[in-house]
Amino acid sequence: MNVKQLLPLALLGAIWMAGCQSGSKQYEFQGQVLDKNPATQELTVKHGDIPGFMPAMTMAYTVKDPNNFQNVKAGDVIAAKVVAAKGGTEYWLENVRITDESGRKTAKGGSVHRLDVGDQVPDLALINQDGKTFSLSDFKGKAVLLTFIYTRCPVPTFCPRLSGQFAKIQDDLSHAPDDFSKTHLITISFDPKYDTPPVLRKYGLAYLDNNPTGFSHWDFASTNASDLKKLADAFGLEYFEEDNQISHTMDIVLISPEGKVVKYWGTKWTTPELEAALRQQAKSAPAPAQGRAQRKAG
Ligand SMILES: [Cu+2]
């Protein structure tokens, strides 16, 4: 996975100073869109050398004009202008033109229609680490923190970080029985061909101190390719197979006890922040969902 590499700003600054210009500078830009993120209006583009600005690489660029952004889809080959301002510390794409859209059909990412906050989550069948089928509606009455990974992910700051930090949340909650009973964690693999239930079980156990009872509060799941695509679209996850790796975005979703989207996080989050938000949602749960006891408050 090699999306979103960032050229050190200092280097951009140095290039800028060498130009010894004031105001903004423009460069011709060509590349293929690997990913599209409507939330940030960013395209992840695998681009060639941009003489005077940066070498060939894959990275994310904001598109200035929303209409311009909307027309582009993952897989498209585009031409555009990169505008660099403030000494190269700010840069964006303008005048994006699609020069070849034949790659759209095979692109995995694609334009996504992510659910809005407050929308009901889809009720698709998932299969967990024990081979059991379940769906998100099974957790009505509980606050759910859900994320996506693939077990072979080699990038420590992505999937291994997500699973490691979910493990921390799982551990913290296990010391707070009330919150524990009103919450659930779900990790979904977007690599179902490789991440079969036994693979997910082994992966999950590594984050549960080898204690399978942890699975009662944290499911490691996957689903068939078409439902996975629906699920990814619903939650705004983008993934793209490339050189036997999967480039992907980071996506964490908080779901309310009523089964509605509460909040999304991309790459910017802290574990205490996730945990606090999950616990806050758990407080709105009427009673532990287990058994659906009708308990009156007061
Ligand atoms: Cu990953």
Side-chain angles (χ1 to χ4, degrees):
M1 196 204 57
N2 56 5
V3 296
K4 298 199 171 117
Q5 293 166 359
L6 289 174
L7 196 64
L9 292 177
L11 180 51
L12 286 173
I15 292 166
W16 177 260
M17 292 310 285
C20 214
Q21 301 263 337
S22 62
S24 62
K25 250 188 138 176
Q26 300 193 347
Y27 305 87
E28 292 303 324
F29 179 95
Q30 281 189 314
Q32 185 174 27
V33 178
L34 300 187
D35 253 330
K36 177 171 171 170
N37 186 348
T40 57
Q41 208 165 300
E42 278 175 344
L43 298 176
T44 300
V45 186
K46 186 175 188 174
H47 63 77
D49 275 325
I50 309 170
F53 186 58
M54 75 173 69
M57 65 172 69
T58 299
M59 65 178 256
Y61 291 85
T62 307
V63 177
K64 198 79 172 175
D65 173 19
N67 293 324
N68 207 191
F69 177 77
Q70 210 159 19
N71 297 331
V72 183
K73 302 234 182 335
D76 285 351
V77 177
I78 57 165
K81 273 194 181 0
V82 194
V83 181
K86 295 194 179 164
T89 56
E90 283 182 18
Y91 52 91
W92 60 86
L93 298 183
E94 281 184 14
N95 191 20
V96 179
R97 286 103 57 206
I98 301 161
T99 57
D100 180 3
E101 57 180 52
S102 63
R104 262 179 207 191
K105 291 181 282 291
T106 49
K108 280 237 171 127
S111 174
V112 295
H113 301 283
R114 192 173 77 162
L115 294 174
D116 289 326
V117 166
D119 284 350
Q120 198 73 32
V121 302
D123 204 18
L124 301 167
L126 294 159
I127 181 156
N128 77 4
Q129 70 287 331
D130 298 319
K132 278 198 191 128
T133 303
F134 71 101
S135 78
L136 295 179
S137 65
D138 294 347
F139 303 105
K140 280 242 167 97
K142 295 188 183 191
V144 174
L145 198 61
L146 178 150
T147 194
F148 297 89
I149 58 110
Y150 75 116
T151 63
R152 294 178 296 154
C153 184
V155 183
T157 52
F158 271 68
C159 301
R161 173 182 169 219
L162 274 171
S163 296
Q165 297 311 298
F166 266 49
K168 168 87 170 63
I169 293 170
Q170 167 95 354
D171 189 52
D172 285 353
L173 290 172
S174 72
H175 296 105
D178 196 42
D179 285 354
F180 194 78
S181 68
K182 293 176 177 175
T183 54
H184 200 82
L185 305 180
I186 305 176
T187 292
I188 297 175
S189 166
F190 44 80
D191 186 15
K193 263 186 281 173
Y194 184 87
D195 290 339
T196 57
V199 170
L200 287 170
R201 188 176 167 85
K202 189 165 175 243
Y203 179 84
L205 282 172
Y207 288 100
L208 289 169
D209 289 333
N210 268 317
N211 183 354
T213 62
F215 289 129
S216 66
H217 185 264
W218 186 4
D219 278 296
F220 293 77
S222 193
T223 184
N224 62 65
S226 79
D227 279 357
L228 184 62
K229 181 79 181 90
K230 284 183 203 157
L231 206 62
D233 281 357
F235 294 126
L237 173 81
E238 295 167 65
Y239 59 101
F240 184 89
E241 222 163 320
E242 185 185 33
D243 307 330
N244 205 32
Q245 296 283 320
I246 304 178
S247 288
H248 63 96
T249 56
M250 199 185 268
D251 188 17
I252 305 167
V253 192
L254 177 62
I255 301 167
S256 76
E258 296 80 37
K260 292 179 172 159
V261 173
V262 177
K263 194 172 170 150
Y264 292 104
W265 291 269
T267 47
K268 281 183 200 150
W269 49 270
T270 65
T271 309
E273 182 189 352
L274 296 181
E275 189 175 324
L278 180 61
R279 288 185 149 179
Q280 183 60 38
Q281 272 305 304
K283 292 203 196 324
S284 68
Q290 209 84 46
R292 298 281 168 102
Q294 294 288 314
R295 197 169 39 160
K296 277 184 181 157

